[in-house]
Every structure is written in structure tokens, then in C-alpha cells.
Amino acid sequence: MAVADSDRSLELQQSGAPARERLARIWEGEAGLRGWLSTVDHKEYGKRYIATAFIFLILGGLEALVMRVQLAGPNKTLLTPEQYNQLFSMHGLTMIFLYAQPVLSGFSVYLFPLLLGARDMAFPRLNAFSYWIYLFSGLFIYAGFVLGYGPNDGWFNYPPYASMRYNPGPNMDFYAIGMILFGVSSTAGAANFVVTFLRARAPGMSINRVPILTWGTVTASFGILFSVPAVSLAFFLLWTDRQFGTDFFNSGQGQPLLWQHLFWIFAHPWVYVVVLPAMGIVSDALPIFCRRPLVGYTVVVLATVATMVMGFGVWLHHMFATGIPYLALSFFSAASFVITIPSAVAVFAWIATIWTGRPVLSTAFLFFAGFIVMFTLGGVSGVMTAAAPADQQLTDTYFVVAHIHYVLIGINVLAVMGGLYVWFPKMTGRLLDERLGRWNFWTVFLGFNIAFLPMHWTGLAGMPRRIYTYPEGLGWTAVNVVTTIGAFILAAGVLLLLVNMYVSRRHGAAAGPDPWGGPTLEWATTSPPPTYNFAVIPAVASRHPLWEGSLDESGERSSLQRGMILDDGKEMLTTTALDAEPDAIQKMPPDTLAPLLAALAATALGAAALLHAWIGATIFTLLLFAALLVWLWPQRAMGQISEQAHV
Amino acid sequence: MSDEALRRLPVGSVGHKPFGWWGMLTVVMTEGSLFAYLLFTYYYFVVQYGRIWIPEAPSLRLAGPNTVILLLSSAFVWWAEKSAARGKTKAQSLGLAIALLLGVVFLAIQVLEWRDKPFTLGSGSYGSAYFITTGFHMAHVVVGALMLAAVLLWSLLGYFDRERHAALSIAALYWHFVDLIWLTIFFTFYVTPYIG
Ligand code: HEM
Ligand SMILES: [Cu+2]
């Protein structure tokens, strides 16, 4: 039978046991190692992203603890200056690149199709590819670190210090090439989110009915598509400056400041990339525990998009101290004030949701409430640094370090932890322990504030960031001791979460499909969901398909048990971008090793370039193209080939 | 959904409906940004150093005709896609083959142009900007040519008909994009030194 010989009608059927069995046979992959390596199931990669990101969080955390021991008193000699440089650089880049964004990708990769009522991401193989190359890029940078060549110029890596003349080892080259690989990963992931969001929503899920988490992720993804090229390019040019004598950032005929522009044009939007999806987690999950819909859905969506757009116009506030013209200073200072408005809007929406709801004080709720508090504090210290005159005083002091951590731990880590309490049951079928959860929350929350609140003072007292030690008698000792104690308490809090996950995965209470009484589609399927996610493609009639009964919204009801079954092979429905009307039936690819092989070839190409092994580089380029050719070869089974072709 | 049930949905990669077409749009977005940042680098240097930064009035002797060649190749790709939609498989393969050939000619002329330049990659930031920017573009032309080659092969194997030729449309989109980018590079490096 020709797979795709004719159009198909939109036949609606009841989901039932025979259909489920058929779908399971179609969608389930091989068992064993090969199956593990070749699967393209988004749920697998979502979990892998989260697990890998947590491993990097732990590594970055250990690096931080070593630094904190070194700084616990004046004139300590645990670390040499070079070791300290490598540690804060590795810590910063690990947290920002290898933890903060991938962990959110993990949530989104896992949840996207479930929230949207789809069977997988638009590009399941690309999804696998972006995971693998993320993993390899992290290993690549860490390989340099293990060999003693970790980046040592901070995560933002300014030339001329990063140029060959002042930094002759291969440290910077590991970082540069690793970051280019990482850029490929985040870009591939972003493209996948954008297309899935636009084209793979359940029928009826028009653009104003989409869960906020997907809005946050898709907005961040557009941010990635537009901003990541700046940093990949910057790192590439830095590498050619170092290795092939180009002259972009050298202080001769080049421009060291050009690096700062390219870097911050990327890195300021990146700040939103690592928080917008986290804000989405809160916007979607907090209402579950307030037993009411989010207040101001439309405003929050607009605020999300506005933040990202404006995020491209404020990069210069990282360069206030570089002697840029006065006019630019004023403009970017003003713009940085304005950008706080949409964030404030979101904060008020959450507060109003709690205020007018009936809050259930679960662990997840505590994390989200903590998130709101930290967000506000981080916002205040942010506004302070956005004021150019204040920043002249605060820049490069511990005040900035305090600010970064309030923003990143507050908005990212707390949201992620809360999100785990909410969706871990979906992923594993087991609830996390609530008692341990409370201990977990309070240890993290208190440890964090003990560590970082005093740091504002450390900065105001003049302690510069990135110094490996300090002399006695400057009044910095006591605060540093407190910070170090807080850091260890915070670390213990993270450990409690890991223990909770480890224990609950086996012994937690069974979750059932919908342990929290959630409103969105992921709660309509079993925990963990079957490989095909939904037995019938749900048809959505409101923003809260599962709350339609209790919210008493008049009008049409969503249909979750009756819909299209699509069981003629691996199939997915595409819908139109705005109204989500059914548009076509897509054939989805089977499991394959091609993405893994392509990621391996790309990484090997990076390694060969690092070593100037040009023959190797050529071979790996050819292998990469071969893997892509196999990957993209049109398939009859996927309806990509003319029905008349004799193949 | 009652009237919906009367509608029929196409199955598989038909027209511009497949995910891949939309995926290529995101590629265009992100690669377009990449070149925007490359050109930003050029203009940044010009602003910092003024006109004297540009070592020679760039000659249009090769670059001018080469631009026409690249645009012509786009036209042939466009013709190939149109032919595919009309089910004219011969014209479709022919259009792709000519476009591929023109792409290769463009690359060859670019190499000549490179050899003509009085400066090198390492002789100052103008040379760096020139060779890196045009080099990035050439790399994209190479990738585009490989895509055209693959699509030509599939076309000769009879894989495409008037409905199912998504791979061809996607490669065509990329090729047009690469040509458009060349126009911005051409304008920046070859035209702006003569104006203002
Ligand atoms: C256990 C928790 C953590 C502790 C104790 C900690 C501690 C530190 C310390 C001591 C520094 C170096 C200060 C300096 O010498 O300038 C630092 C820098 C930094 N941290 Fe953390 N940190 C923690 C978690 C995080 C997290 C979760 C993130 C991001 C998601 C993060 C992002 C950064 C960044 C971006 C820098 C700046 C690095 C640079 O100067 O290049 N940290 N942190
Ligand atoms: Cu910023």
C-alpha cells in the first residue's frame, strides 16, 4: 500500500484499548543500548537534558565551594591565582551555559508536545542531535579544564587578555570551540521549539490558548536564533585572531571593545533566555496551587515578548565603565530602566493570582513564592546597576556578584526546583516527598540568602570580584565567612533535592495521571505518558481544557477522549500557525543513530581544528556530511517521495 | 468540528506544509543574523577608523559580473521549483543543474578575486574582515551547492512530483537566501566605499 497516496479525512474516533496497543507498537523503539542511543522520543531527551544539566550544576557548585573555602579568610593559600581564575571562569560558564539554559530546554523538550497535545517535537531527530551536541560541547570544555587548560578570563572572556599575546596556552581555544559547538546545540533546539510551537499544536489551541511556558520558551528561542550567532561569531573570530593572525580584537589595528559589543549583544538577551522559560514554569504551575487561572494571561504574554524584544537594546549597560560616549550612556541607562516594567507586570500578575486564589502550601508553592521574592530583590539590585552613575561605583565589585546570583538562582534555580516538584510525578509516575521537600526548600532558601544577601554589603565595602584573596583589616573578613557558611548550607539544600529524587523515584507515592488537579493537557495522559503521548489527538476549546467543568466556562468543551487516532504509522498532525486548524498529517521519522553520529562528527571536527589536524578535520567534515545525507534522504515511508517513483 | 470532518488532509510532505520548510525559515533567520553581525563588524571598524581604513577602492571587475552570475543561478532555481510544481521533471532537473553549475562558477571566480587582493587575512583588520566575511559567504555557497547537488540527484531519481518536492523547495529557499546575503555583502564591501 502506498503510504501517502491519498488525502485522509478528519475521522474522529473514541480512544480504546486496541488503538492504544496499535499506537504502542508503532511508537515504541528498540530496547537495550542501541535503542537508548537511537531513540528520538522527546520525553527521553527532556529527562536527559535535565539530568545532564544537574550534573553540570553540581560541578559548578563544587567549583564555587572551593572558591568559597579559599575566600573564607584573608591571605589563604588553598588556590593559586591561576587556579582561582580557572575556577571562577569554569563556574560562571558552567552555570550560565551548561546548566541554566539546558535545564530549561529539558523541561520544554519534555513538556512541549504534552502541553500542546502533540505526539512529539516537530523535528525529533534534531532534538536528539541538539542534546548530544550539548553534552559533547560540555565535555569538550571540561576536557580542557581537566588537562589544566580551563578558560581563565571569566565567562565573558575579554580581549586583549584573551588574545594570544597575553594568554598563549590553549585555554581560550578550548573555550572558543566548545562554545561554537554549544551554539549549534542551542540554535538547533530553538528552531525545533519555534516550529513545534507554530505548527504542531492540538487543533483548536489557537495562539491565545497556549500555555505560558511554551510562550516563554518560544520567545527565548527567537532570542536564541537572533543572538547566538553574535557570540559564535565572536568566539570564531577570537580563535582566528589567536591562530591565524587575523586582527579583530587585538589592540593594534583591531578593537578589543568590538568583542565586548558582540559578546553583550548576545549575553544580555541570554539573560532572558535563561529566565523567560523559568517564568513560564511559574506562570503555568503557580495557578495550579492557587486553584484559579493566572491573572492577566494576555498581559503576561505581551510582557514576555516585550522583555525579549527590549532585551536586544540594552547590551551597553554592561559596558558603562569602558568610556563610551555620554549620550550612549544615558540612552542605554534609560532603556535598562524601561525594561524592568514588563518584569514588574509579571510579578504583579503572580501576586494577584496568589491573592485572589486559594493557595495550597505545597513545596512547589513555596519554591514559587520564594522565586517571586528573589525576583523582586534581584530586580532592585539590577535597577541599581542600570543607573550609570551608580554602576561606575558598583561594577566589578561583589555587588554585581550578588546581583547575578539573585537573578540566576532566584529566577532560574528556584523555578526549576519548584517545577521538578510539579512535573517529576509526570515524568516518573511517583510523587516527590513533601516533608523532605519542605526541608529542601527552607535549606536552599535560607542558605542562599545567608550566602548572597551580605554580598551586597561586601561589594559596597569595595571588595572587587574575581580576586583570589584579600588582605586583613579591610573589613571584608566577617562577611566572607558568613557567605561561605551560607554557600555550604545552600549546597546541602541542593543535596536534599537530589536525595529526594533518588528515593522517590523508587519509593515515592504513586502519582496517577493528575496528582495536582492541573488544567493543561499533560495531566490528561498517564504518568509517565506512553511513547505516543495521547491515544487520540485532543481537540481544545479553551485555555484550561481540564478545568472547563469547574470553571463553568460556557461554550464548547474540549474533546480529550474522542479525536483523530492517526495510527497509520508514526503520524502527527500539523495545524495552522494562528488558529490551529488541522492542516496536514506529517509522517514522523523512526529511531536512528544519525543524530548521534552527526554530533560526534561535529565534535571531532572541533577537536581536529583545535589541534590543527587538518586531514582529520577534512575526514570529519565528510563524515558529518555523510551523516546528514543519510538523515535527510527522502523516505517513502515519510511521504517525502513521489508516489509514482519506482524506488 | 462537524464541518471539519468533511475536509480532507494531505498526508506527508506536501507543498510548503512540512515542518522542514518552516525549519528552513528559522535557519534563514539565524544565519541572517550571523551575517548582520559580520557586517556590524565592518561598519564598526569604519566608524572607528574612517575611510582610510579601506586600503583600496574595491574593483568591480570580477565582483560585478559574479554578482550577476549568482543572481542568475537564483533565477534558475526558481524556474526549477516552478517546473516541479507544474510536473515538468525535465525542466526541473535542468534548472537545478544549471544553477549548480553557476554556483560553482561563482566560487571559482571568488577564488580568483581572492588571489587578486593586495592584502591578506593577517595584514590588518580590513583584510581580516574582507576574507572572513566573504569566506563565510563562500562556505554558505558550498553548503547550498551541496544541497542543490543532492536535490538534483533526487530529482534525477524521480523522487519529486508536483505535490511532493519539499526537499527542492527547502534547498531553493536556502539558495535564494545565500544570494540575498551576497547582495548585502556586495553592497557593503564594494559599493559603500564609493558613496558619501
Ligand atoms: C552553591 C551556589 C553558588 C555559589 C556558592 C556561588 C559562588 C560564586 C563565587 C564565589 C563566584 C566568584 C566571585 C568572584 O571571584 O568574582 C561566583 C561567580 C559567578 N557565579 Fe556563582 N555561585 C553559586 C551558584 C551559581 C549559579 C546557580 C549560577 C548561575 C545559574 C552562578 C553564576 C555565576 C556567575 C555568572 C559568576 C561570574 C563568573 C565570572 O566572574 O566570570 N552561580 N559564584
Ligand atoms: Cu544586561
Side-chain angles (χ1 to χ4, degrees):
Chain A
M1 180 192 72
V3 194
D5 53 355
S6 69
D7 300 351
R8 192 114 44 87
S9 70
L10 283 162
E11 198 185 346
L12 303 187
Q13 285 166 300
Q14 204 69 25
S15 71
R20 286 171 190 280
E21 265 165 42
R22 239 180 358 260
L23 284 167
R25 260 200 314 281
I26 293 169
W27 282 81
E28 258 157 36
E30 265 178 81
L33 180 66
R34 201 190 149 89
W36 194 82
L37 294 173
S38 65
T39 179
V40 294
D41 182 359
H42 72 99
K43 295 181 286 303
E44 254 325 290
Y45 288 100
K47 288 187 283 187
R48 288 180 201 179
Y49 259 113
I50 295 176
T52 313
F54 261 82
I55 291 172
F56 282 118
L57 176 72
I58 294 166
L59 288 175
L62 292 175
E63 287 150 11
L65 292 182
V66 177
M67 286 191 283
R68 282 321 312 173
V69 174
Q70 163 75 12
L71 294 176
N75 300 318
K76 283 196 170 280
T77 51
L78 175 68
L79 296 170
T80 63
E82 170 64 17
Q83 285 171 335
Y84 190 86
N85 288 351
Q86 292 200 14
L87 278 177
F88 76 69
S89 307
M90 286 304 289
H91 167 74
L93 78 90
T94 302
M95 292 304 193
I96 297 244
F97 297 122
L98 302 177
Y99 159 75
Q101 188 256 340
V103 79
L104 298 178
S105 286
F107 274 93
S108 301
V109 162
Y110 190 93
L111 289 173
F112 237 64
L114 292 167
L115 289 168
L116 299 179
R119 291 226 165 113
D120 207 323
M121 298 288 286
F123 304 110
R125 291 172 294 187
L126 190 67
N127 201 16
F129 174 78
S130 53
Y131 168 75
W132 290 118
I133 198 153
Y134 150 58
L135 175 66
F136 297 153
S137 70
L139 294 179
F140 193 92
I141 298 175
Y142 265 84
F145 183 53
V146 170
L147 294 172
Y149 301 124
N152 51 8
D153 190 12
W155 72 287
F156 45 70
N157 215 47
Y158 287 166
Y161 186 69
S163 49
M164 200 60 168
R165 185 141 169 229
Y166 304 100
N167 210 333
N171 312 46
M172 284 301 146
D173 304 310
F174 271 107
Y175 190 19
I177 295 175
M179 278 302 290
I180 292 172
L181 294 173
F182 178 78
V184 172
S185 162
S186 48
T187 303
N192 213 344
F193 287 130
V194 167
V195 178
T196 308
F197 177 88
L198 289 177
R199 293 288 292 170
R201 305 195 305 272
M205 190 183 279
S206 52
I207 204 93
N208 58 342
R209 288 177 182 161
V210 190
I212 307 252
L213 171 55
T214 56
W215 270 112
T217 303
V218 90
T219 309
S221 298
F222 275 107
I224 287 176
L225 291 176
F226 289 124
S227 70
V228 164
V231 80
S232 300
L233 177 67
F235 271 108
F236 183 83
L237 300 182
L238 180 68
W239 182 63
T240 59
D241 266 12
R242 296 171 51 84
Q243 303 296 333
F244 305 101
T246 58
D247 209 357
F248 288 100
F249 307 126
N250 299 320
S251 28
Q253 228 209 61
Q255 285 283 341
L257 267 193
L258 175 62
W259 167 276
Q260 295 198 21
H261 282 292
L262 287 175
F263 188 87
W264 288 113
I265 286 176
F266 150 79
H268 188 85
W270 188 260
V271 172
Y272 297 113
V273 165
V274 302
V275 303
L276 290 178
M279 291 164 68
I281 287 179
V282 176
S283 295
D284 272 353
L286 180 67
I288 304 181
F289 300 97
C290 298
R291 312 308 303 155
R292 59 150 298 148
L294 180 73
V295 174
Y297 171 95
T298 312
V299 194
V300 173
V301 168
L302 290 177
T304 306
V305 177
T307 308
M308 193 75 241
V309 173
M310 285 193 244
F312 277 87
V314 297
W315 79 91
L316 231 68
H317 64 211
H318 296 272
M319 301 165 62
F320 281 158
T322 57
I324 49 173
Y326 187 72
L327 189 67
L329 214 75
S330 322
F331 175 81
F332 280 88
S333 187
S336 306
F337 282 119
V338 174
I339 201 171
T340 55
I341 294 173
S343 309
V345 167
V347 170
F348 286 122
W350 296 320
I351 294 177
T353 308
I354 299 177
W355 200 271
T356 57
R358 287 171 284 130
V360 182
L361 297 184
S362 64
T363 305
F365 180 86
L366 291 177
F367 272 108
F368 299 143
F371 160 98
I372 297 172
V373 177
M374 299 296 91
F375 192 152
T376 313
L377 280 171
V380 170
S381 59
V383 172
M384 288 170 75
T385 47
D391 188 66
Q392 301 287 359
Q393 174 66 25
L394 299 174
T395 193
D396 274 330
T397 69
Y398 262 86
F399 190 89
V400 172
V401 182
H403 164 66
I404 312 174
H405 288 90
Y406 265 87
V407 182
L408 287 170
I409 298 187
I411 314 187
N412 183 297
V413 179
L414 292 189
V416 163
M417 289 185 173
L420 275 176
Y421 278 86
V422 178
W423 283 294
F424 182 89
K426 183 51 54 186
M427 299 177 189
T428 61
R430 304 270 179 180
L431 290 163
L432 285 171
D433 187 67
E434 280 286 310
R435 248 170 69 100
L436 194 50
R438 267 146 233 262
W439 281 94
N440 173 199
F441 168 75
W442 286 110
T443 329
V444 166
F445 190 77
L446 291 177
F448 169 66
N449 281 293
I450 295 171
F452 292 99
L453 200 59
M455 223 185 242
H456 292 102
W457 166 254
T458 324
L460 288 170
M463 179 164 167
R465 67 192 282 199
R466 298 176 170 171
I467 51 169
Y468 83 108
T469 190
Y470 50 92
E472 263 171 279
L474 293 175
W476 300 343
T477 312
V479 271
N480 272 299
V481 174
V482 176
T483 293
T484 299
I485 294 173
F488 276 90
I489 300 178
L490 171 55
V494 177
L495 197 63
L496 287 180
L497 174 66
L498 298 178
V499 170
N500 200 349
M501 291 202 284
Y502 183 78
V503 175
S504 305
R505 215 163 73 96
R506 301 250 155 59
H507 309 290
D514 186 8
W516 313 114
T520 35
L521 290 177
E522 81 274 31
W523 306 112
T525 182
T526 53
S527 309
T531 15
Y532 49 87
N533 288 354
F534 300 98
V536 298
I537 307 299
V540 173
S542 78
R543 232 172 250 162
H544 310 97
L546 272 60
W547 279 1
E548 280 160 7
S550 57
L551 285 179
D552 228 23
E553 281 172 351
S554 51
E556 255 189 293
R557 288 288 150 96
S558 303
S559 162
L560 305 176
Q561 298 307 322
R562 218 176 106 78
M564 299 169 76
I565 290 197
L566 300 187
D567 57 356
D568 190 14
K570 261 186 147 179
E571 291 181 332
M572 230 168 103
L573 187 68
T574 39
T575 46
T576 55
L578 293 180
D579 300 329
E581 307 232 5
D583 196 29
I585 292 168
Q586 296 295 320
K587 295 285 185 175
M588 303 310 283
D591 290 359
T592 157
L593 286 171
L596 173 59
L597 295 178
L600 274 174
T603 312
L605 171 61
L610 180 83
L611 299 170
H612 288 219
W614 301 122
I615 300 179
T618 316
I619 295 174
F620 293 126
T621 309
L622 294 177
L623 283 177
L624 179 59
F625 282 134
L628 290 177
L629 193 65
V630 172
W631 178 337
L632 296 172
W633 199 275
Q635 301 295 322
R636 153 115 345 152
M638 287 173 65
Q640 293 167 328
I641 290 184
S642 161
E643 293 303 332
Q644 291 92 49
H646 306 285
V647 278
Chain B
M1 296 257 294
S2 51
D3 47 340
E4 280 289 293
L6 302 174
R7 262 181 53 206
R8 300 180 74 78
L9 295 181
V11 179
S13 297
V14 168
H16 287 179
K17 292 182 193 297
F19 293 134
W21 166 262
W22 294 72
M24 186 48 85
L25 287 176
T26 65
V27 172
V28 165
M29 263 190 262
T30 190
E31 296 270 51
S33 317
L34 174 70
F35 282 99
Y37 294 123
L38 270 167
L39 297 181
F40 170 82
T41 304
Y42 176 94
Y43 291 113
Y44 185 80
F45 280 125
V46 172
V47 168
Q48 297 298 321
Y49 294 122
R51 287 286 284 273
I52 46 158
W53 179 66
I54 303 168
E56 53 150 19
S59 150
L60 297 176
R61 190 175 58 85
L62 290 175
N66 219 11
T67 304
V68 177
I69 290 177
L70 203 56
L71 289 181
L72 217 57
S73 77
S74 247
F76 277 103
V77 166
W78 177 80
W79 181 57
E81 198 191 348
K82 273 273 162 292
S83 308
R86 296 205 193 95
K88 298 186 182 156
T89 44
K90 287 230 177 65
Q92 155 200 317
S93 298
L94 187 66
L96 289 172
I98 298 176
L100 176 60
L101 191 72
L102 290 173
V104 174
V105 171
F106 173 86
L107 286 172
I109 296 182
Q110 270 294 80
V111 173
L112 292 182
E113 166 106 40
W114 271 20
R115 283 208 266 158
D116 267 8
K117 290 289 170 193
F119 46 80
T120 65
L121 184 69
S123 66
S125 43
Y126 180 86
S128 307
Y130 176 81
F131 283 110
I132 292 283
T133 308
T134 52
F136 259 91
H137 181 260
M138 277 160 82
H140 281 73
V141 176
V142 170
V143 171
L146 288 173
M147 284 189 196
L148 289 185
V151 174
L152 174 61
L153 174 66
W154 295 333
S155 168
L156 293 173
L157 288 173
Y159 280 12
F160 301 138
D161 61 20
R162 48 178 92 217
E163 280 203 317
R164 284 171 216 280
H165 53 264
L168 171 51
S169 306
I170 293 166
L173 176 59
Y174 185 76
W175 190 260
H176 296 318
F177 161 72
V178 170
D179 291 359
L180 186 72
I181 289 296
W182 172 254
L183 289 184
T184 67
I185 294 174
F186 180 76
F187 178 76
T188 301
F189 278 87
Y190 291 89
V191 178
T192 54
Y194 292 103
I195 47 183

